[in-house]
Structures are given as C-alpha cells and as structure tokens.
Amino acid sequence: MKIDRTALIESHLAQVKFIAERLAAKLPPSVHADDLIGAGVMGLLDAAEKFDPSRGILFKTYAEARVRGAMLDHLREMDWAPRALRQRARQVEAAYREIEQAQGRPATEEEVAAALNISLGELHELFSELRTLNITETDAQSRDERSRAIRSEEALDPLDQYQREEAQRQLAAAIERLPLRERQVVALYYLEELTMKEIGAVLGVTESRVSQIHTQAVLRLRAMLEPVRDVFAYI
C-alpha cells in the first residue's frame, strides 16, 4: 500500500506548532517558538520520509519523537545558555554528589546551600535559573520517545543493548533514591505528562515551587548518574 506522505505531513503540522509552543513556554523569551516550529517541521519531513507502517508504530508517535528531537537538537546547536549558568549547574551537581557520597543519604537543600555558601532562598532562585538549562539536556520524555523510534528503525548490537539496559536500571534505581517529593514530581511530569501547574495543584504547592523541585531532582539524578551519562541519553 502506497503511503501518502504529503497527507501525513499536512495532518500533523498543527501538532508541530503545539509542541513548539509548549517547549518555548519553558524557555527564556530569547528563544522564539517560530524557530522551534521551523526545526520541528524539518523533523516532521524526516519522519514522513522514513516512516514504515509495517513496523507497527503509529505515525503520530513516530513523528512526535522526531519533531521533539529536532527541536532539542536545534536548541543544543544554539547553545543559548550562558557558560556561567552551565558552570553553576556543575557546581550544584558536585555539591549533591559530594554530600551524598559522604553522608550515604540524599542531601538536603540546607546542606547544598551551605556547601555553595549561599542562603536557602538563593538556592531556590538558582534552581529557577537552572530550570531552562534542563530542557535541552534532561527532557526524558522526548528522549525516551526518540530512542524508541530509533530502535524501531535499526537493531541495536548486543553491547549497545546491554549498555542501554544497564543505564536504564541505574536510572530507575537512582529515581527510587530521590526524596519523596522529588520522586512524585518526576513521576507526574515524565510518566503522567502533567504540566508544572497541574502538578502544583496535585501536590498543593505553587507552579514555581514545582519547577524548583523538578530542577533539584534533575541535578540530583545527574550527580548520581555521572559514571554512566555517556551511554545514557535520557539524563
């Protein structure tokens, strides 16, 4: 059966705009949704070209993975985040890692703030600043979907498959070690796909606080998974 690829593209253009606007809402004003839409359309065109219905995957699922992936690639190429902000993120990760290795338990916000020689309020402000940095580096949902789509195209060799499975196991174990509130936010955001505002309503906190907790969880996970980050694309 011949695929009408033009029809596939036209029927999913609105979804490209939806994904771009949702992603842009999490980023600084300097990042425009139109730029993301342009990258997303290229991803959609690529998806239509490579889509094979015999693999048993819906085009919508496959295309969304390609579209999100193209947008994230565009953001990484822009390198829009200031170098100082990236350095600050590495400092926070290091603080988490050093405290948790020394104490054998999750680091508290107060301990991290003390290690960075800042107040708790300043730490919360830092989490808010680092929130946008996490978009291109830790969008687990997008990368997970993209990874599944890619695996549908090509078989992984045994070593690659083992590395992925081991990294997934370590991520699952790391998530289980998160403090309860951070674990709840991660589950609601990545598994239930709720927005920050919706999560705030569920947990009874502000949207801003949810964002801070999410950033805190991501930084803690990155610190835990430093040894396997090169083989694990989700973190």
Side-chain angles (χ1 to χ4, degrees):
M1 179 179 175
K2 186 176 181 180
I3 303 174
D4 187 343
R5 300 187 187 277
T6 300
L8 286 177
I9 293 170
E10 291 177 349
S11 63
H12 289 81
L13 283 174
Q15 187 66 12
V16 172
K17 182 179 179 182
F18 173 79
I19 294 171
E21 290 178 344
R22 183 166 183 175
L23 181 55
K26 305 175 184 178
L27 296 167
S30 59
V31 180
H32 301 291
D34 287 347
D35 294 332
L36 296 178
I37 290 173
V41 168
M42 296 304 296
L44 178 60
L45 294 174
D46 182 61
E49 178 65 27
K50 296 179 178 177
F51 179 60
D52 182 357
S54 67
R55 295 184 182 276
I57 297 177
L58 293 175
F59 179 74
K60 183 177 185 296
T61 301
Y62 181 78
E64 286 183 1
R66 290 284 178 177
V67 167
R68 284 196 179 100
M71 292 179 186
L72 292 175
D73 287 343
H74 174 71
L75 289 172
R76 283 192 292 272
E77 290 171 1
M78 287 175 59
D79 194 25
W80 52 268
R83 182 173 300 178
L85 188 60
R86 295 184 186 278
Q87 182 178 8
R88 202 67 173 138
R90 287 193 292 270
Q91 291 172 344
V92 177
E93 287 177 35
Y96 273 110
R97 185 162 50 250
E98 291 169 6
I99 293 169
E100 294 181 359
Q101 288 177 350
Q103 301 297 328
R105 57 166 173 75
T108 66
E109 292 183 344
E110 290 78 8
E111 289 171 331
V112 173
L116 296 172
N117 197 29
I118 59 177
S119 69
L120 189 59
E122 289 172 328
L123 180 64
H124 288 169
E125 291 178 5
L126 180 56
F127 286 151
S128 296
E129 292 176 11
L130 295 175
R131 176 182 69 90
T132 56
L133 184 61
N134 292 328
I135 298 300
T136 61
E137 298 182 353
T138 60
D139 194 319
Q141 176 190 2
S142 298
R143 290 171 182 247
D144 183 44
E145 290 175 349
R146 194 179 185 194
S147 179
R148 287 198 300 267
I150 292 173
R151 288 200 296 271
S152 73
E153 290 186 56
E154 51 191 20
L156 298 176
D157 63 59
L159 177 59
D160 191 19
Q161 182 66 41
Y162 169 77
Q163 289 178 324
R164 287 176 184 269
E165 290 175 355
E166 176 63 15
Q168 287 173 338
R169 184 191 67 77
Q170 292 192 38
L171 174 63
I175 290 175
E176 285 301 313
R177 296 200 301 271
L178 290 175
L180 176 60
R181 184 53 60 94
E182 291 176 34
R183 195 163 65 246
Q184 289 174 327
V185 169
V186 167
L188 292 171
Y189 186 72
Y190 292 120
L191 300 181
E192 301 299 327
E193 300 186 24
L194 299 185
T195 64
M196 297 287 182
K197 183 176 181 180
E198 291 168 339
I199 295 172
V202 171
L203 300 181
V205 297
T206 65
E207 181 178 357
S208 175
R209 183 57 183 148
V210 171
S211 176
Q212 292 171 355
I213 294 171
H214 171 263
T215 298
Q216 187 174 7
V218 165
L219 291 169
R220 195 191 299 272
L221 287 172
R222 287 173 62 88
M224 291 180 189
L225 295 167
E226 178 67 27
V228 297
R229 206 182 297 173
D230 60 332
V231 298
F232 192 50
Y234 303 170
I235 290 298

